[in-house]
């Protein structure tokens, strides 16, 4: 009825409000008509009181103060009740107006006060009707009492449904906000994962290729001017490395598989890696195949090739080794990759964290690649004892069942 005591109206509440208005006006009109047509005593007074009650009732929704203040609404309800009591004293037909009054009291007053007001209104209706009849019987109390019970059940049931609806609305809003937060978190995590992937790709392709070119050009500079043919050979190797690195860069930008895997198997790509490493640098790189080749997912092939490239590049740059052996095989449902060199080695416990200026990122990138595919990464090294790197990736069921692993020689 008022903005101060109810939430913003929705279509359903507006319909119920208008139904209550019509019920009050209709019952008051019925009392006035019956007073005139039924030959009841004091018909003029009854009609005047019915009109007065209707006017007082109509003032409530129209007065801004009543619409904005709970106290003013309670005062208006008291005025309506007083006029109704006078009407009830004049005609027994006034008892029917008690029913819409129940709804007003339950709607405008706090629960305890509303319950007391409804009980008082029911008692007044029963007493007034009994006075007009000149006697009292239990049947006279059934109508007003039942009407009070129905009104309380309807209003409190509606309030319970409204509270549940509000809880659901708040829950939906919270779920919507949570879903938006999760989407933002997933987006941020995706951005971070993509940055990490790009960092690995750059380290394993462009950075390694540029490092190889730098080493070859440094060797060419040292060979000049005493050995121009040797220097020219180093320059040619650097040019070929630049060509390969450009192909990798284009493939990287296109977000496709490594250029080394185009039209060939992982073993062929590793064979070329060992051949180009032996040709460009003063060490011998050899590939060993310990099992019959099986088809692998592109992700497995890319990861194993990148790990091998990074490991061999680390050997060239840091190990001062004479040989590096790359072994590709299968063992117990896994594809295996071992990279072993006879270099100076290092202490893995003292390996520093990645340095933005260069160095230290390769091992972390290799571990991350292997971990993303559910594999294991192991590194064994010590000063003066070389380095051994081992990778194990689970084979897909179809690849694992194609053929059994061959025994190591």
């Amino acid at each position: 009825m008022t903005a101060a005591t109810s939430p913003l109206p929705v279509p359903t509440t507006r319909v119920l409000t208008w139904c209550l208005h019509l019920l009050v006006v209709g019952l008051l009109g019925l009392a006035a008509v019956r007073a005139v047509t039924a030959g009841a005593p004091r018909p003029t007074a009854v009609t005047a009181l019915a009109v007065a009650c209707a006017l007082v009732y109509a003032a409530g929704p129209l007065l801004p103060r009543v619409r904005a203040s709970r106290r003013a609404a309670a005062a208006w309800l008291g005025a309506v009740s007083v006029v109704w009591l006078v009407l009830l004293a004049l005609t027994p037909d006034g008892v029917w107006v008690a029913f819409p009054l129940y709804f007003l009291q339950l709607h405008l007053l706090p629960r305890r006060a509303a319950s007391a007001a409804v009980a008082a209104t029911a008692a007044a209706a029963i007493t007034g009707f009994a006075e007009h009849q000149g006697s009292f019987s239990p049947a006279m109390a059934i109508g007003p009492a039942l009407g009070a019970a129905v009104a309380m059940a309807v209003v409190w049931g509606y309030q319970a449904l409204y509270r549940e609806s509000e809880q659901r609305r708040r829950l939906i809003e919270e779920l919507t906000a949570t879903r938006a937060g999760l989407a933002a978190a997933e987006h941020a995590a995706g951005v971070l994962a993509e940055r990490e992937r790009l960092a690995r790709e750059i380290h394993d392709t462009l950075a390694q290729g540029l490092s190889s070119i730098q080493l070859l050009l440094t060797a060419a500079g040292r060979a000049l001017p005493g050995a121009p043919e040797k220097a020219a050979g180093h320059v040619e190797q650097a040019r070929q490395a630049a060509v390969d690195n450009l192909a990798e860069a284009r493939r990287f930008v296109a977000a496709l598989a490594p250029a080394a895997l185009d039209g060939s198997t992982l073993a062929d790509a590793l064979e070329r890696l060992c051949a180009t490493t032996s040709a460009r640098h003063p060490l011998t790189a050899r590939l060993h195949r310990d099992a019959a080749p099986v088809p692998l997912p592109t992700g497995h092939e890319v990861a194993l090739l990148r790990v091998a490239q990074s490991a061999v590049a680390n050997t060239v740059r840091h190990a001062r080794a004479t040989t590096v052996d790359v072994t590709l095989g299968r063992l117990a449902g896994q594809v295996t990759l071992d990279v072993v060199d006879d270099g100076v080695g290092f202490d893995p416990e003292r390996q520093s964290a990645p340095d933005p200026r260069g160095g230290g990122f390769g091992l972390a990138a290799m571990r991350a690649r292997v971990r993303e595919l559910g594999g294991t990464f192991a590194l064994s090294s010590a000063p003066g004892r070389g380095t051994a790197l081992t990778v194990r990736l689970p084979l897909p069921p179809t690849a694992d069942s194609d053929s059994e692993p061959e025994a190591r020689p």
Side-chain angles (χ1 to χ4, degrees), residues 255-341:
L256 298 176
L261 291 175
D262 280 353
S264 64
T265 64
L266 172 62
D268 295 334
L270 294 175
E271 187 73 55
R272 287 195 296 273
L273 172 64
C274 292
T276 54
T277 301
S278 299
R280 295 173 182 175
H281 305 285
L283 83 165
T284 301
R286 297 172 298 206
L287 175 66
H288 306 277
R289 307 185 193 188
D290 283 359
V294 295
L296 294 174
T298 301
H300 283 55
E301 292 188 338
V302 171
L304 292 173
L305 177 59
R306 294 306 189 206
V307 169
Q309 288 173 332
S310 186
V312 171
N314 286 342
T315 299
V316 171
R317 295 177 60 186
H318 307 296
R320 298 199 295 274
T322 59
T323 61
V324 57
D325 292 287
V326 180
T327 303
L328 180 65
R330 287 192 297 120
L331 180 66
Q334 295 178 319
V335 57
T336 64
L337 177 71
D338 298 282
V339 182
V340 181
D341 66 55

Side-chain angles (χ1 to χ4, degrees), residues 24-25 27-33 43-57 83 87 90-91 97:
V24 171
V25 173
L27 291 175
L28 291 173
L30 178 63
V33 170
T44 303
V46 171
T47 302
L49 281 173
V51 172
C53 187
L55 292 175
V56 173
Y57 177 83
V83 178
L87 177 65
L90 295 178
T91 175
V97 184

Side-chain angles (χ1 to χ4, degrees), residues 47-100:
T47 302
L49 281 173
V51 172
C53 187
L55 292 175
V56 173
Y57 177 83
L62 299 177
L63 294 176
R65 188 172 181 181
V66 173
R67 293 171 58 87
S69 170
R70 181 184 290 270
R71 182 173 297 179
W76 165 73
L77 178 61
V80 173
S81 300
V82 169
V83 178
W84 169 73
L85 287 173
V86 178
L87 177 65
L88 179 63
L90 295 178
T91 175
D93 292 328
V95 70
W96 304 112
V97 184
F99 187 68

Side-chain angles (χ1 to χ4, degrees), residues 5-349:
T5 57
S6 64
L8 291 177
V10 296
T12 301
T13 58
R14 283 199 296 266
V15 170
L16 293 176
T17 300
W18 277 105
C19 288
L20 184 61
H21 295 338
L22 293 175
L23 180 61
V24 171
V25 173
L27 291 175
L28 291 173
L30 178 63
V33 170
R34 282 177 57 84
V36 174
T37 60
R42 298 182 294 277
T44 303
V46 171
T47 302
L49 281 173
V51 172
C53 187
L55 292 175
V56 173
Y57 177 83
L62 299 177
L63 294 176
R65 188 172 181 181
V66 173
R67 293 171 58 87
S69 170
R70 181 184 290 270
R71 182 173 297 179
W76 165 73
L77 178 61
V80 173
S81 300
V82 169
V83 178
W84 169 73
L85 287 173
V86 178
L87 177 65
L88 179 63
L90 295 178
T91 175
D93 292 328
V95 70
W96 304 112
V97 184
F99 187 68
L101 283 179
Y102 296 152
F103 285 96
L104 286 174
Q105 293 160 349
L106 291 168
H107 183 64
L108 296 177
L109 300 176
R111 174 163 290 200
R112 289 186 179 180
S115 300
V118 168
T121 301
I126 295 171
T127 302
F129 189 75
E131 286 291 333
H132 284 290
Q133 297 298 321
S135 63
F136 174 78
S137 67
M140 296 180 182
I142 294 178
L146 183 60
V150 170
M152 295 175 70
V154 170
V155 172
W156 288 349
Y158 171 79
Q159 292 175 350
L161 289 175
Y162 178 79
R163 286 194 297 270
E164 182 179 355
S165 175
E166 283 295 293
Q167 291 175 354
R168 289 182 179 179
R169 182 184 61 80
R170 287 192 295 269
L171 179 60
I172 291 173
E173 291 178 352
E174 292 174 0
L175 290 176
T176 302
T178 301
R179 184 168 60 181
L182 288 175
E186 290 178 358
H187 175 72
V191 170
L192 292 176
E194 183 64 12
R195 287 178 179 175
E196 183 180 354
R197 186 189 71 81
L198 292 176
R200 290 198 305 265
E201 291 290 339
I202 292 173
H203 175 273
D204 293 342
T205 56
L206 304 181
Q208 300 292 1
L210 293 174
S211 176
S212 178
I213 293 171
Q214 180 187 18
L215 292 175
L216 290 169
L217 293 178
T218 300
R222 290 175 181 174
L224 290 175
E229 294 182 358
K230 185 176 181 181
H234 288 314
V235 171
E236 175 59 26
Q237 292 174 355
R239 187 195 67 78
Q240 185 59 46
V243 171
D244 295 341
N245 209 40
L246 179 60
E248 287 284 2
R250 288 172 175 168
R251 191 66 63 177
F252 170 68
V253 171
L256 298 176
L261 291 175
D262 280 353
S264 64
T265 64
L266 172 62
D268 295 334
L270 294 175
E271 187 73 55
R272 287 195 296 273
L273 172 64
C274 292
T276 54
T277 301
S278 299
R280 295 173 182 175
H281 305 285
L283 83 165
T284 301
R286 297 172 298 206
L287 175 66
H288 306 277
R289 307 185 193 188
D290 283 359
V294 295
L296 294 174
T298 301
H300 283 55
E301 292 188 338
V302 171
L304 292 173
L305 177 59
R306 294 306 189 206
V307 169
Q309 288 173 332
S310 186
V312 171
N314 286 342
T315 299
V316 171
R317 295 177 60 186
H318 307 296
R320 298 199 295 274
T322 59
T323 61
V324 57
D325 292 287
V326 180
T327 303
L328 180 65
R330 287 192 297 120
L331 180 66
Q334 295 178 319
V335 57
T336 64
L337 177 71
D338 298 282
V339 182
V340 181
D341 66 55
D342 61 354
V344 296
F346 66 99
D347 184 0
E349 297 297 329

